[in-house]
Every structure is written in structure tokens, then in C-alpha cells.
Amino acid sequence: MAIPNISTKYIFGVKSAVVNNIAFHDEQTLLYPAGSYIILYNVDQKQQRFILGSEKGHGITAQAVSANRRLLAVAEKGEKPIITIFDLNTLRKRKTLNCFEVQSQECVSVAFSHDSKLLITQCGHPDWTLVLWQWEKARVLGTIKTSKPESTTPVHHVSFNPADNSHIAVVGDFIFKQYRFVDGHLKQVQQAKSSELQNFTAMHWGQEERILLGTNTGKVMLFDEGELKTDYQIIKPDKQLKKDDSKHLQTLMESEQSISQPDVSKVTSIVTYSKGTRIACSCGQGTVHLFERGTDIKTFFKKTKEIKVPEQTSGGEATEDEETILCLALSPSEETLVASTDHNQIYSITLSSADLGKEKEAVWFEMASQLFHSNIISGLDVCIRKPWFATCSTDKAIHIWNFETCSLELYKQFPEEVYSVAFHPSGLYILAGFTDKLRLMNLLIDDVRIFKEFTIRGCRECRFSNGGHLFAAVHGNVIQVYSTVTYENVANLKGHNGKVKAVIWAPDDLRIISCGWDGAVYSWDVSTGKRLGECVLKSCSYNSITVAPDGITTFAVGSDQSIKEIALKNAAESQITHDVDARGTTLTAVALSHSGRMLFAGSAQGTIRCMKSTTQGNLAVPGEWQELQAHSSQISRMAVTYDDQYLVTVSDDSCIILWKISEKEGRGLKRDKDIIYSEEILITKSDLEEKNALMSELKTRVDELKMENEYQLRLKDMNYNEKYKEMTDKFVQEMEALKARNKKLELEKDREEARHGEEVVETKQAHAAELEKLEATNNQKLMIEYEKYEELQVRMQKMQEEYEAQLHEAEASKERACEELTEYYETKLHEKSQQLEQVHESVPCC
């Protein structure tokens, strides 16, 4: 047989340890990590798409979405940090960046520049190196150490200035530094004063290059150009941090650590609207605080609303641990706010609904997806007659899932941790192991109710028989078998020297196969309680087993990094028939299809191996398999559904992955026979009687209300008929009165129109006579003025002639005077000349 192929169908869970683990791709699609995947979850259609991490990666540590929401950067832990860039439209890998120059094995924060051309990565312990990438060319532009090597003050977040790609901010424990990329190097340009440094746990760039920083003491601080402008205490601690400017930074750190109180809640995330009009920050137990932006720096924060995470309750039991919100994200339209919590849950709220209600009244988040496990999943089992599987976890909850609709059918929270769970073949009961007892419980329509308790403490493995008439429960190194009908202990299987890790029933329910940490695999006769076959290998501590349809061939995995095929025929003939080396990988879980043709194994690294087998259903040696990345931690349990269509795997990373099984070419497997799932549900007699009594009471009440309503309707009809008649008569009278009044008004109107016409004619005549009179008067005045004009014109002409004559006479007089003067002076000149000559003559020559 060829190697079977599996593909991811659905993932139940969120990896909360990833930095910035929630983001929007578009208005309906959320991005969040789970296992080794990044999930694109459509909120409206409830569908998932997947981006698989790097094969060399050992778990996702941080993610970032570009500002245009087209690119995704995923940072994974490895021998050296690995950063992979994906195209969110095609879901294809664009570029892989390897940080060979750093000593750290992981990146604690990544961020895109606003134009998506640059990428900044902050590596972790021990060197805390900041690396600036031109990611499309996989070229390092610059590196710088943001914290002292081997420092105990870690860096938490890095971010680009949205308005300047060369401006970078870094925050951490008593760290707030700003860098610029200048002349091919990263240079520190601004650093806050030592008196202003605190344990910064969140950062967000605002408008005008302002930076909002959140602290672990519930305070939000606003920095502008590296200077502290204002701060706001969201939650006041019991003791305030006393600052002394003269003390060294180490003193500040010690004082900060000394006042750490459980009730001091840190600010974990800050987001702002694009226009900066509203700020949302998560602080306190499951609370988001909304602020409106003020008009100036002093009133920058004005708290308007609180949004809280709802308490998860089921059956009256509330969760003891309150949730802390780790990350916030706004949708592109800024209408929806989503939050991820440390309990691996995702919540959302439409912000328009948050504006409703009173100003001081808190509003509540709603589930954005489904209720996931918040801690290590300890148990898994699949139902036969219903498309359900059950999981339990150390978060004290049992979940019932539907693998066809990929939905949560039932959920129950308990006061104690749940170690194991088993599904009855009918799908009506489950068996669960708690710290104090083993409990058999009924699955009701809306509840999981305890029916019978067994004094088995800390049962970490239990299993119903295939027929459902018996069940086996592990109590230390003893396997106890009980009757599901009489609840009697029918057998105690003793023989293991260590803890029993797994038990499984043979297909005919006549035998039980078990394995344990003592390296033993035993086959038990249920009726006699004796061992039929055994295979002991003390050098191996077994983790999981599965049995073939023949009830003899068993596959086991353990600490020796191999998968063994064991034939448990009888005590004399039991032996390991095939031993396939896992090539350096520790296998932690194994599952075989019910047809016996497909074998799957889970590893401590979270990978799944689809094993190749021979035509007889035996392991092929040497081993051949297809290995797939799945979880980010070891796979603790796995199971194949009864129809061999799906594989379910659970891990210590709190995630459940549902796989679709197909042939190598991708074709679905043919079913040997169609399986019809039952739809019956359980309901207790008291509940049914109560519901029936309630229905009867409500029916009686409905009948009474119906009769009363009919009587009231008849009374109202009679009353309304009388009122209708009265109103009709009244309206007829009023109509007649209105008609008479209308006629009267029409006559008055005619008279007024005639009088108005006469007045108009008289007025027109008076106006015409007055117009003629005015025209005659104006004409007479015009003639008089014209005569005055003629007279003035004659006078002006006469005066002009007189002035011209006077001017002529003056010119003539002027000419005569000039001639006389000329003649006079010429005579005088002549006389003087003669006198001069006489003088010359009288003077003797020298």
C-alpha cells in the first residue's frame, strides 16, 4: 500500500505565546498562529486557510502584517532565527531570511516599515541584536545591540515610525531607545532620561511622531521627540513607584521589582485610530480601556468606556483564573476590535456597539471563533455512532467537537483538572478521570452531568470497549475493568511495574492491550484477567500503542526512537516482528486506521509521520514515511475516526488539528460501507418532566390568554363599532357644516373679487391721470431750463469774445512797451559807447 496523504482541514486553538498573535488581513479575515501554522480565519464563513511555517523552524515566536495588509512576516525559533515572508493573497512564500550573524535562537519582535520595503527584527537572549533588512533582496542593512549582552533586561517590542522608515523605536524592561539608519549604519539618536525609564510592556506610534508606551504598573506614557509629555495611570497599584533622579538605573530596577504586586496589572497592547481620535489599550484582568483624544497635551487622555472579556461558565462552574488580554487589533475600517488572551481565546466587538449605553457602563466582548482549550490537552477519544470527538485538558474543561461541521457541540467546566476522557460508542456518555475520582457522565442536550463515580484517583487513561458494555481505567500500574451496565469491577489486570501509559481494546472486546513506562506490552484476557501475551523491553519506555483489526498485531512507540510491530499471539509466541528506526526522532503517539491499512505516528517535535506498510498491513522495513509539520510541541494523543476519513491530533501546545485522510494522489478514501450517524440526545426524566410541565403550563396559559384576548377583542369590537358610529355621525354633521361654510366663503370670495376689481380699475385711472399731470409739469420745467441754457450759452460766447479782444490788446501793448524799451536802451548804449571812446582818446598812450 502507498503512503497515505493527510491535509489540514481545521485547527481548534490559538498559540498565545506569539508576539502580536492577532491581526486583520481584510475586514472579514483574521490571522493568528496555532501549532506550526498561521491561520486565516474568515469570521463570516467560519472557514480557515493555512500558512505552514518553515521545516527547520521549532515554533513561531512572532509575526507582523505589513501596513498594506499584503505581506506577513513569521519569525520562528531554530538553531538561528528564521524569518519567512509570505504573500497573503497567494499564501506563497516570498523570501526566507536567516540571521546567521546573531547568537540568539529566536526573534522576540518583528515589524514592517510603512511602505513594506524594510523589515526590522529584534533577536533575543543572549546578544539582543536588532537587525534591519531590505527583505526583498535578503540583505542586512544594519545591526546594533539594543541591550547589554547576557542582560536580564529583555527587549519586548520594536517598531518603525510610520512617517519615517529610517526611524526605529525599541522598548523593554527599563529600555526605551530610538535609532536612525544614517550613512549605512544604525545610530542611537534619542534615549529617555533614567528617571523616566520603567518596565515598558507595550508601544504604539501615534500621530506627529508621538509614541505611546505602556508599563507593567498600569500606566500609559506619551513621549514626543524623546521627551515625556504626560502620563495616565489606568490602574493604580497599592504602592506607587518612588523615583529619585539621583539614583542609578539599577536602583530603579530594584525598586520596580520590589513593588511587584499580583494586583498591579500591566498594559499589554495599545492601538489607535488612523486619525488619532481614539485610543484602546488593554490593561487589567481582561479589560480594554477606550480613550478619546483631548485638545492638548495635558488632556490627551480622556477615558470613555471599558470593554471586558466575558466570564466563561458552564453548568454553574466559573473559571477561577481571569484572562489577560495580550494583543489588540483593529479592522481596516476601524469598526471591529479583536483581542487575544493568555487563555488561547479570541474575542471581538463592533465598536459602534461599544458606544451604546451609559458612559461608565462596561460592555462585553463576544467570541470571534470558538471556545478553545487554554492549557495542555491531556485526553482524546472519538465516538463511533456520532461525528464527535472529546478532549479534556488541565484547564479543567471537557470539550465535545463535531469533526464534520468543525464546531464545538458541548462544553463543560469543572472545579478539578481532567486527566483523561473516553467516549462511549453510542455518543451518549463519556468517562473522565479527575484528581479525586473517575466519573461516568451523561451527555445531555445542553450539559454534561455526572451519573456515577468510581474511587479511582488521578486516572490518566481510560477506554470504553468497542461494544460499550465495558470500560478499562488505569489506576497507577493496575488496569481496572468495569461493567457499564452494572458498574461492577469485573477484573483487575496486574502486572506492570511502572505507570501504564496506554490501553486499547481488541476489536472483539475479548482482550486488552496495554503498555507502560516499564517497557512492557501486555495482552490481557478480560474474562479471566490473565496475560495472554507479553513483550518486555526494559530499555524502552512506551508512550502509545494501537492494535490491528486482527487483534494480535500491535504497533507501539516509545523512548527508543523507533516504532515496533509486535505480534501478541500467546506467551510463547509473542515477539517483535518489525522494528523501524525513527531516525533520531522520539515518537510519542501512534494511531492505526480501522481498516488496518494506514498508520500514523506523532513525534516529540510536533510532526506527523504517515507510515508505509505492506500489502498485508505490516510495517515495511526499512521504514518509509511522509513527515508533515503539525504542532509546535509534542503530540500527546492521536486518533482516527471510525469511517477512516479524518485524523485528530492533540498536543501540549493546546491545539487540536483535524486532518483529512486521502490517497497519495489526493483522492478521498473509499468507504467500505456508508456510516449513518445517530442524532439521538439524552435528557433526564426530571428535566423532561419539568419541560413538559412548563410546556403544559405555557400551553394552558396560552389558551387562557387566547380566550381572554378573544373576549377583549369582542368587547373592543363592540366599543369600536359604537365609537365608529358616533364618529361617523359626528363627521357627517361636521362635513355638512363645512359645506355650508364653504359656500358662504365662496360667496364672500366672489364679492371680494368684484370689489377688488373695481378698486383696481379706479386705481389705474387715478394713476393714469396723475402720470399725465406729472408729464406736463415736467415738460414745462424742461422748457424753462432749456431757455436758461440758451441764454447762458450766449452770455458765455460774448464773454469769450471780450476776453479774446482784451488778450489781443494786451499783446499789442506788450509789443509796444518792448519796442520802446529796446529803443531806449539802444540809445543809452550808444551814449555810453561814445563816452568810452572819448575817455580812450583823452588818455595818453604809453
Side-chain angles (χ1 to χ4, degrees), residues 62-189:
Q63 70 174 28
V65 178
S66 62
N68 57 15
R69 304 183 189 276
R70 296 177 182 175
L71 300 170
L72 171 68
V74 179
E76 296 178 85
K77 187 176 181 180
E79 294 181 0
K80 296 292 182 181
I82 303 171
I83 299 94
T84 311
I85 312 299
F86 294 94
D87 189 316
L88 287 177
N89 294 324
T90 62
L91 304 186
R92 292 182 178 178
K93 185 187 299 183
R94 289 281 300 274
K95 191 68 67 174
T96 300
L97 311 177
N98 294 289
C99 302
F100 295 114
E101 301 177 358
V102 302
Q103 301 177 16
S104 175
Q105 296 182 345
E106 62 179 345
C107 284
V108 298
S109 182
V110 294
F112 280 101
S113 61
H114 196 67
D115 60 2
S116 305
K117 294 182 179 180
L118 302 179
L119 183 75
I120 196 76
T121 60
Q122 175 63 62
C123 300
H125 182 82
D127 51 345
W128 302 104
T129 302
L130 185 72
V131 184
L132 179 63
W133 300 84
Q134 189 177 5
W135 67 266
E136 288 182 316
K137 297 181 179 180
R139 185 161 66 95
V140 176
L141 299 179
T143 62
I144 194 170
K145 288 180 170 48
T146 55
S147 184
K148 295 180 180 180
E150 304 294 341
S151 174
T152 58
T153 56
V155 177
H156 297 309
H157 298 282
V158 295
S159 180
F160 279 97
N161 184 344
D164 186 356
N165 291 346
S166 64
H167 191 188
I168 301 165
V170 177
V171 297
D173 289 0
F174 296 93
I175 296 174
F176 175 39
K177 299 179 181 179
Q178 298 186 53
Y179 300 91
R180 284 192 180 274
F181 183 66
V182 181
D183 300 330
H185 298 282
L186 284 170
K187 297 181 180 179
Q188 185 173 347
V189 291

